[in-house]
Amino acid sequence: MTATMFQPRCADFETRVQESFARQGMMRSLGATLARMAPGEVTISMPYAAEFTQQHGFLHGGTVASVLDSACGFAGFSLMDADSAVLTVEFKINFLAPAQGERFEFVGRVVKPGRTLVLTEGRAEAMDDAGARRLIATMSCTLMAVRDRGISG
Amino acid sequence: MTATMFQPRCADFETRVQESFARQGMMRSLGATLARMAPGEVTISMPYAAEFTQQHGFLHGGTVASVLDSACGFAGFSLMDADSAVLTVEFKINFLAPAQGERFEFVGRVVKPGRTLVLTEGRAEAMDDAGARRLIATMSCTLMAVRDRGISG
Amino acid sequence: MTATMFQPRCADFETRVQESFARQGMMRSLGATLARMAPGEVTISMPYAAEFTQQHGFLHGGTVASVLDSACGFAGFSLMDADSAVLTVEFKINFLAPAQGERFEFVGRVVKPGRTLVLTEGRAEAMDDAGARRLIATMSCTLMAVRDRGISG
Amino acid sequence: MTATMFQPRCADFETRVQESFARQGMMRSLGATLARMAPGEVTISMPYAAEFTQQHGFLHGGTVASVLDSACGFAGFSLMDADSAVLTVEFKINFLAPAQGERFEFVGRVVKPGRTLVLTEGRAEAMDDAGARRLIATMSCTLMAVRDRGISG
């Protein structure tokens, strides 16, 4: 992914992302935390957790997809208007290696912001106990900014 | 999705799917259960669970993706050789409506089996307390049959 | 794909689709023709053409994708308002078998219509000279209805 | 996309890519040419062509997809064994802006090589007559290395 610089439309975008993140029961249940944030880019971190595995003991593909979806969603949300909520229209994920490791890091970045649709990309990496990193999944994800539907964040 | 009839290569495909399903920590944590099975088609059911939601209180897109991924994976696995394990290569999911409801049903079906790659499709529906159904997501998912890698199921 | 019945918003949807199809230089160049149409479903037919092949002499994946994209796009367009133009937001295509044959048929169907976004699915089949059919590709495709941008059709 | 350095397995990978590219009737018909090549990265260039447009006069989405698919495919092929042919398993493309311009450039890059499956990514840009560039589409594309099937390149 190429480095990009975006201007947030809300000065308090960090607070907005943090509050929305805190409302996601899914991230809390997975033990995922917001690690870093910049306009249009969000990194989420998560330790290995046996409760969220597939049949071979690796993190379930859906676990990886869940955190990447949130990373992409909040990356997009960080650039949205104050009156916008964010919904995922679709995503595609490619799995490159088994999700085994001590910790996992999930980066979501905006590729192209838009008033209605926002394209984002994600990368998931596994880290072993020595800190070595391995790319395990990539995502492309389309978000929609939703207004006036009685939901926020 | 068109109705299809496939011949399983293992007479005990049901037992193999059940045992592999039982080893998925993720399905147990989500409260998801195997509802129905036929060669090349698996249905998983799951009640609403506040722990696995996004910021508006709907099931997280990743939760929906997780169960659809498993439904597709086991649909493919039901047709594989006894010496094959199944891994997800990639999937794409489109979200059609918020995942709100009492229960959710996730159907995975094989579109085309193959010795190495298997294409599957999934449909997720939400059911309200009156039993009315609503299509909330569709998936296309590529699986790979893996042999001789020290993993099974 | 499940059979679906949709109500067109324009009584003259067939004329609108035919006129828009006729303006696609791409379909004309490929030798593709509108074969059948119903509200929310469009079938396009195309003979084998050596000019649009990949390196092994099969139809290029992009050729297959082009016609499926048009089939999906016109399926969605057939249900849109008179003041809407249609653009493709994204599509994903899975290739199941080499595109070899005498003729090819491409069906696009609406899965879920919406005022802004429309989800469609496509199936491509190859036919040999005896008329036997083989599924060669499947597509999921998100369309956007665009208004007031100075484009139509 | 992050910059990556790969080691080709064939010393003559450039010749192999050029010969395979020359056999694609599709690239010749579109007026597309190989612009640059490095191990795991291929750039294809194409001028605007009215024959390959959609109904609004922009390049058809399938045209953009065709060239990106080839760019990704040859990027993967540049790293493959001498006895391998390359087939596309699936791709997903997101369209970001109408394909209008004087020329178009399509870059395909390998994200992760593998003996059987290779993940690639693509970027398409439109250039106006002043040389200004605009990102119009992104692709993720899974390739398969095929051996012993009577096809090459």
Side-chain angles (χ1 to χ4, degrees):
Chain A
M1 293 181 287
T2 48
T4 42
M5 287 295 294
F6 296 109
Q7 280 301 113
R9 296 181 192 185
C10 295
D12 62 342
F13 76 93
E14 289 186 296
T15 308
R16 297 182 77 229
V17 169
Q18 283 157 355
E19 289 178 356
S20 186
F21 187 93
R23 288 203 305 275
Q24 286 206 344
M26 185 68 169
M27 291 302 105
R28 195 166 45 245
S29 296
L30 294 176
T33 51
L34 264 175
R36 285 187 297 284
M37 199 189 322
E41 181 172 325
V42 164
T43 303
I44 301 177
S45 182
M46 179 189 161
Y48 177 82
E51 309 96 273
F52 304 112
T53 50
Q54 39 83 287
Q55 69 275 22
H56 312 120
F58 311 136
L59 281 194
H60 194 284
T63 305
V64 175
S66 297
V67 191
L68 272 182
D69 178 24
S70 284
C72 288
F74 288 119
F77 185 60
S78 74
L79 299 182
M80 288 184 186
D81 295 325
D83 65 344
S84 295
V86 60
L87 292 177
T88 301
V89 173
E90 58 83 25
F91 65 73
K92 185 213 181 189
I93 184 165
N94 283 78
F95 297 99
L96 302 172
Q100 47 185 166
E102 292 289 305
R103 288 198 72 74
F104 300 87
E105 214 168 78
F106 305 84
V107 184
R109 286 192 193 115
V110 172
V111 175
K112 177 147 186 296
R115 183 168 156 78
T116 304
L117 296 181
V118 177
L119 179 64
T120 60
E121 284 187 344
R123 289 282 191 275
E125 291 182 323
M127 284 169 281
D128 63 20
D129 47 15
R133 287 165 173 267
R134 190 149 90 130
L135 184 66
I136 57 170
T138 66
M139 177 178 281
S140 71
C141 174
T142 304
L143 308 169
M144 182 154 63
V146 176
R147 298 172 188 86
D148 306 320
R149 291 211 199 163
I151 55 174
S152 64
Chain B
M1 293 181 288
T2 49
T4 42
M5 286 296 294
F6 295 109
Q7 280 302 113
R9 297 181 191 185
C10 296
D12 62 341
F13 75 93
E14 289 185 295
T15 308
R16 296 181 77 230
V17 169
Q18 283 157 354
E19 289 178 355
S20 186
F21 187 93
R23 289 204 306 274
Q24 286 208 345
M26 185 66 169
M27 291 303 104
R28 195 165 46 243
S29 297
L30 294 176
T33 51
L34 264 175
R36 286 187 297 283
M37 200 189 323
E41 180 171 327
V42 165
T43 303
I44 302 177
S45 181
M46 177 189 163
Y48 177 83
E51 308 95 276
F52 303 111
T53 51
Q54 40 83 288
Q55 70 276 20
H56 312 119
F58 310 136
L59 281 195
H60 194 284
T63 305
V64 175
S66 297
V67 191
L68 273 181
D69 178 23
S70 284
C72 288
F74 288 119
F77 186 59
S78 75
L79 299 182
M80 288 183 185
D81 293 326
D83 64 344
S84 294
V86 59
L87 292 177
T88 301
V89 173
E90 58 83 25
F91 66 73
K92 184 213 181 189
I93 184 166
N94 282 79
F95 298 99
L96 301 172
Q100 46 185 166
E102 291 288 305
R103 288 198 72 74
F104 300 88
E105 214 167 77
F106 306 84
V107 183
R109 287 192 192 114
V110 171
V111 175
K112 177 149 188 293
R115 186 170 152 77
T116 304
L117 296 181
V118 177
L119 179 64
T120 60
E121 284 187 344
R123 290 281 191 273
E125 291 183 321
M127 285 169 280
D128 63 21
D129 46 16
R133 287 166 174 268
R134 190 149 90 130
L135 183 66
I136 58 169
T138 66
M139 178 179 279
S140 72
C141 174
T142 305
L143 307 169
M144 182 154 61
V146 177
R147 298 172 187 86
D148 306 321
R149 291 210 198 165
I151 55 175
S152 64
Chain C
M1 292 182 288
T2 48
T4 42
M5 287 295 296
F6 296 109
Q7 280 301 113
R9 297 182 191 183
C10 295
D12 62 341
F13 75 94
E14 288 186 295
T15 309
R16 298 181 76 230
V17 169
Q18 283 157 354
E19 288 178 356
S20 186
F21 188 93
R23 289 204 305 275
Q24 286 207 344
M26 185 68 169
M27 291 303 104
R28 195 166 45 244
S29 297
L30 294 176
T33 51
L34 264 175
R36 286 186 299 282
M37 199 190 322
E41 180 170 327
V42 165
T43 302
I44 302 177
S45 181
M46 179 188 161
Y48 177 83
E51 309 96 273
F52 303 112
T53 50
Q54 39 83 286
Q55 69 276 20
H56 312 119
F58 311 136
L59 281 195
H60 194 283
T63 305
V64 175
S66 297
V67 191
L68 273 182
D69 179 23
S70 284
C72 289
F74 288 119
F77 186 59
S78 74
L79 299 181
M80 287 184 186
D81 294 325
D83 64 344
S84 294
V86 59
L87 292 177
T88 301
V89 173
E90 58 83 25
F91 67 72
K92 183 212 182 191
I93 184 166
N94 283 78
F95 298 99
L96 301 173
Q100 47 186 166
E102 290 291 303
R103 288 198 71 74
F104 301 88
E105 214 168 77
F106 306 84
V107 183
R109 287 193 192 114
V110 171
V111 175
K112 176 146 188 294
R115 186 169 153 77
T116 304
L117 296 181
V118 178
L119 179 65
T120 60
E121 286 187 342
R123 290 283 191 273
E125 291 182 322
M127 285 169 279
D128 63 21
D129 47 15
R133 287 165 174 268
R134 189 150 91 130
L135 183 66
I136 58 170
T138 66
M139 177 178 281
S140 72
C141 173
T142 304
L143 308 168
M144 182 155 62
V146 176
R147 297 172 187 87
D148 306 320
R149 293 211 198 162
I151 55 175
S152 63
Chain D
M1 292 181 289
T2 48
T4 41
M5 287 296 293
F6 296 108
Q7 280 302 112
R9 296 180 191 185
C10 295
D12 62 342
F13 75 93
E14 289 186 294
T15 308
R16 296 181 78 230
V17 169
Q18 283 157 354
E19 289 178 355
S20 186
F21 186 93
R23 289 204 305 275
Q24 286 208 342
M26 184 68 168
M27 291 303 104
R28 195 166 47 245
S29 296
L30 295 175
T33 51
L34 264 176
R36 286 186 297 284
M37 200 189 322
E41 180 171 327
V42 164
T43 302
I44 302 177
S45 181
M46 178 189 162
Y48 177 82
E51 308 96 273
F52 303 111
T53 50
Q54 39 84 285
Q55 70 275 20
H56 312 120
F58 311 135
L59 281 195
H60 194 284
T63 305
V64 175
S66 297
V67 191
L68 273 182
D69 178 22
S70 283
C72 288
F74 289 119
F77 186 59
S78 74
L79 300 182
M80 288 184 185
D81 294 326
D83 64 344
S84 294
V86 60
L87 292 176
T88 301
V89 173
E90 58 83 25
F91 66 73
K92 185 212 182 192
I93 184 166
N94 282 78
F95 298 100
L96 302 172
Q100 48 185 164
E102 291 290 305
R103 288 198 72 74
F104 300 87
E105 215 168 75
F106 305 84
V107 184
R109 286 192 193 114
V110 171
V111 175
K112 177 147 187 295
R115 185 169 154 77
T116 303
L117 296 180
V118 177
L119 179 65
T120 60
E121 284 187 344
R123 289 281 191 275
E125 291 183 322
M127 285 169 280
D128 63 21
D129 46 16
R133 286 164 174 267
R134 190 149 89 130
L135 184 66
I136 58 169
T138 66
M139 177 178 280
S140 71
C141 174
T142 305
L143 308 169
M144 183 154 62
V146 177
R147 297 172 188 86
D148 306 321
R149 291 210 199 163
I151 55 175
S152 64

